[in-house]
Amino acid sequence: MTGVHNGEAAEEVARRPARKRSASATRTALRAAASFRFGKYGYEGTSVRDIAGDVGVDAALVYRYFGSKEALFNDVSSSGKMFEPLLNEPVEAIPDWFCALLMGQPKEGDFPHPVLSVLRSSGRDEAVARLRADFTEVFSKRLAARLDGPDADLRAELLAAWMLGTSLMRTEIRPPALVSAPDATLERYLRAGIEVLLGPAPAPEDGEGATGGEDEERAVDDD
């Protein structure tokens, strides 16, 4: 399993060079770009060339991986389908998958975030419940079952939360450092955090995280 080992600090993981995008990561990036394009402009207003351009690849790759624009639209039309490919990735390739998803989003700032689209929908409660069910199935259950160590469900949900939060900040709120950072730099830090969550947290050292402690005992004595 990938992750931080032998006391390696997250900062050291962040200094690792970004890896070349794999075919699987490219498909993930195309799905991310397509979901934003279709959400903003609809099916007719979205071209395969635009989707490919957002990812920096030739339009021929869209047809190679998905067959047609209609097939790509059907592939990303539900959040469950969009995240389903994650479950086919080896655990050690999950950082590639997450980074491809986040780096594949358009950065112009005028594409609605999928979560915002759900929250703004007329049937908000139903849409939120559907999104929660999708994330619970993909992350809390199926991805968590593949992670070693304790708190696997929590770590899987934190991965989902970080992915959604980062994408929302980057595409909608657009704080200056996050939107101006070079992709390679951003990817190094994303990988650092993702890899930490994929592995179980190290056991606390003696006395660390314990309730009470010397201060509490001293307070009792003073009473």
Side-chain angles (χ1 to χ4, degrees), residues 187-202:
E187 183 172 347
R188 285 198 301 272
Y189 284 101
L190 287 172
R191 285 183 181 279
I194 293 167
E195 293 186 354
V196 167
L197 287 172
L198 287 176

Side-chain angles (χ1 to χ4, degrees), residues 57-131:
V57 300
D58 191 273
L61 274 182
V62 178
Y63 295 105
R64 177 181 174 184
Y65 291 146
F66 299 98
S68 67
K69 172 182 164 182
E70 181 179 4
L72 177 56
F73 176 79
N74 291 334
D75 189 272
V76 302
S77 60
S78 75
S79 59
K81 284 186 178 180
M82 183 170 184
F83 298 119
E84 187 76 19
L86 169 65
L87 302 174
N88 297 322
E89 296 290 335
V91 171
E92 60 270 16
I94 287 177
D96 291 333
W97 193 92
F98 271 102
C99 288
L101 186 69
L102 292 168
M103 311 305 275
Q105 296 172 1
K107 306 177 184 65
E108 293 93 329
D110 62 348
F111 294 89
H113 191 277
V115 171
L116 289 184
S117 298
V118 167
L119 296 178
R120 293 167 179 168
S121 66
S122 56
R124 179 182 179 279
D125 291 343
E126 180 181 350
V128 170
R130 189 163 53 246
L131 186 64

